[in-house]
Amino acid sequence: MDILYLMILCSVSLAAVFLVVFIVYARKGQFEDDESPAVRILFDSDEIKEKEELGNNKGDNEKGENNKIEEKSE
């Protein structure tokens, strides 16, 4: 019977720890943006490539072998 009390105490304390962690991260804003990850897949990937090209100042001659393989597969 003593082990039952110990298990109840452990489970209640573990639940309390998880509740405190949840409240801390909820106040930090961890769960604020729940819509954009689901909608992000609907956007065209050309927009992402354009942003990468604008941010990349390297020429085509500096691309490695991996990039050349990716260009051929597209």
Side-chain angles (χ1 to χ4, degrees):
M1 192 69 174
D2 291 334
I3 192 71
L4 186 62
Y5 294 135
L6 179 66
M7 290 178 64
I8 291 172
L9 179 67
C10 289
S11 65
V12 169
S13 61
L14 185 64
V17 167
F18 282 130
L19 180 65
V20 168
V21 169
F22 174 76
I23 290 172
V24 167
Y25 282 111
R27 288 188 182 199
K28 285 185 179 180
Q30 178 75 24
F31 308 110
E32 292 293 323
D33 190 18
D34 58 348
E35 186 174 327
S36 67
V39 178
R40 190 177 306 145
I41 196 167
L42 301 175
F43 294 131
D44 195 15
S45 62
D46 292 336
E47 295 174 5
I48 297 171
K49 289 180 184 176
E50 289 175 4
K51 289 180 184 178
E52 289 176 357
E53 289 175 1
L54 291 176
N56 190 3
N57 292 333
K58 295 180 180 178
D60 289 337
N61 297 334
E62 297 179 9
K63 290 185 179 180
E65 289 295 322
N66 293 337
N67 292 336
K68 290 179 184 177
I69 294 171
E70 289 177 6
E71 287 177 357
K72 290 178 183 177
S73 65
E74 292 175 358

